Amino acid sequence: MADTNSGWDGRGTSGPGGAPGPEAGPGPEAGPGPEAGPGPEAGPGPVAGRCAGGRPRGRRVAAAASLVALAALATGCEPGTAEGAQEVAPPARATRAAPPAPSPFLTAPAPTPAAEDAKPSAAPPPGPSASTAAPAPTRARPKPPAPSTAPPPRVLMRTGSESDRVRELQARLRQIGHFGRNPTGYYGSVTADAVQSFQAKRRLPVTGSTDAVTWQRLLAMTRVPTAEELDPPTERPLAAPDERCLKGRVLCISKESRTLAWMRDGKVLSAMDVRFGSEYTPTREGVFEVFWKSRDHVSTLYDTPMPYALFFSGGQAVHYSADFAANGYGGASHGCVNVRDKKKVAALFDQVKNGDKVVVYS
């Protein structure tokens, strides 16, 4: 509704007659009225928008001016679509660039600065890949064993020893097939060879002497020998006695059967194995008498022990021989009658008297 006092009808006509006046719309230079508020580029144009006398032209003029000002702001402050202008896509809002897609050829994405701040400076090494074969382990060359500083085991028996323990050693070696003879109690070359055989088979130092280690190993593998194993009959089958042996107290010695029979009036009291001299030092044959007994005799000619010696012909005697006990019939005497059973010849020595008969025959 037009203000009746202004003389302006709000459409650019004045006066009651409605004659057209100049255009009321603002031109390019026109700025918004006081109600529109100032814009960044708007300002009052040459047409002040007031009538003569400075009174407002009406509410419609003010509303129209506000709309024009808003349109000017829309076209001047932000790009819009005006008549005859091409459509321009609004610029994209500046946002943080999205991280690039991980490459299938990379094992891990590069860390962002923020991630680097969150992680420790030293990253752990990557684990082994499942597709990568582990390297074959290298076999270290074994070091040579250090020389042992331990003292050697104590030797209990060696060549030349003679005791009941040597007899037990021989009996135990015989149980497992290393000693093929009857025990004698004397440690000779046959016993040393048997010990060496046992040591070699058990991977022990092969010395031939019985040390503490060898002895303990042998004890663990064998049982306690019986009395018969320790002291078996040593006599060989006796030959038929010579007729000269059938009367009185006689040492009846047969070269053929290699036996000695202690007889009284044709009855055998004891028998034992014997050996004789070699062809260069033969044992003399015939009938003799015991003329001298020497329990711990040592030969002055050969410097060898002759225990329990019963001399019957010059330097020839019946006596115990450790070599015969150890080596058997592999050796020979210097003409004496050797006995290898020490216990039996010791008992014989106590029973025989000087003057008893000795018969040696083939």
Side-chain angles (χ1 to χ4, degrees), residues 2-361:
D3 191 350
T4 56
N5 295 324
S6 63
W8 187 267
D9 60 359
R11 298 187 302 248
T13 59
S14 63
E23 289 185 353
E29 293 88 357
E35 292 85 353
E41 298 177 0
V47 181
R50 286 178 177 270
C51 296
R55 299 181 65 181
R57 297 180 179 179
R59 295 178 180 178
R60 292 184 179 181
V61 175
S66 298
L67 293 174
V68 172
L70 292 174
L73 286 174
T75 58
C77 295
E78 293 186 6
T81 304
E83 290 185 9
Q86 296 181 353
E87 292 184 357
V88 179
R93 180 177 298 176
T95 60
R96 180 177 297 175
S103 172
F105 302 99
L106 298 178
T107 57
T112 60
E116 290 179 352
D117 294 339
K119 294 181 179 180
S121 58
S129 174
S131 61
T132 304
T138 57
R139 180 176 297 177
R141 179 177 297 178
K143 296 181 179 180
S148 176
T149 58
R154 184 169 60 95
V155 175
L156 305 178
M157 293 167 276
R158 57 167 54 91
T159 301
S161 300
E162 188 174 1
S163 64
D164 289 339
R165 187 155 65 169
V166 174
R167 185 179 293 272
E168 181 182 355
L169 168 70
Q170 295 166 337
R172 288 180 180 270
L173 289 171
R174 187 174 184 177
Q175 288 178 7
I176 55 178
H178 287 279
F179 190 76
R181 301 181 180 180
N182 292 332
T184 63
Y186 178 77
Y187 204 120
S189 60
V190 174
T191 304
D193 291 343
V195 171
Q196 286 183 347
S197 174
F198 175 79
Q199 290 171 332
K201 189 171 183 179
R202 271 69 191 180
R203 297 183 179 180
L204 298 173
V206 181
T207 62
S209 299
T210 303
D211 53 40
V213 175
T214 302
W215 179 244
Q216 291 300 323
R217 182 70 65 86
L218 180 62
L219 293 181
M221 297 181 60
T222 56
R223 53 178 171 76
V224 178
T226 64
E228 186 176 354
E229 289 175 327
L230 290 172
D231 192 15
T234 57
E235 61 270 5
R236 297 167 61 89
L238 290 174
D242 188 271
E243 60 182 12
R244 295 169 291 183
C245 299
L246 299 178
K247 293 181 180 179
R249 297 161 56 98
V250 183
L251 293 174
C252 191
I253 303 170
S254 170
K255 287 186 175 181
E256 182 180 359
S257 63
R258 293 186 291 189
T259 60
L260 180 153
W262 168 232
M263 303 178 66
R264 183 180 293 173
D265 296 330
K267 182 180 180 181
V268 178
L269 302 178
S270 65
M272 56 203 73
D273 300 336
V274 293
R275 76 175 181 181
F276 306 97
S278 66
E279 61 177 330
Y280 301 104
T281 56
T283 302
R284 292 183 285 271
E285 299 181 9
V287 178
F288 310 94
E289 290 184 357
V290 175
F291 66 91
W292 183 32
K293 295 173 60 175
S294 179
R295 184 179 297 272
D296 298 314
H297 189 78
V298 177
S299 172
T300 57
L301 183 60
Y302 300 104
D303 194 26
T304 57
M306 298 172 57
Y308 309 108
L310 301 169
F311 288 91
F312 62 88
S313 177
Q316 295 185 353
V318 175
H319 66 85
Y320 170 74
S321 170
D323 181 75
F324 181 31
N327 300 314
Y329 291 99
S333 72
H334 294 99
C336 291
V337 178
N338 292 161
V339 180
R340 63 181 176 185
D341 193 316
K342 192 173 186 179
K343 288 184 177 181
K344 287 188 174 183
V345 74
L348 179 66
F349 181 86
D350 293 336
Q351 297 174 29
V352 173
K353 299 177 181 178
N354 288 335
D356 289 342
K357 187 188 299 186
V358 177
V359 178
V360 181
Y361 64 101

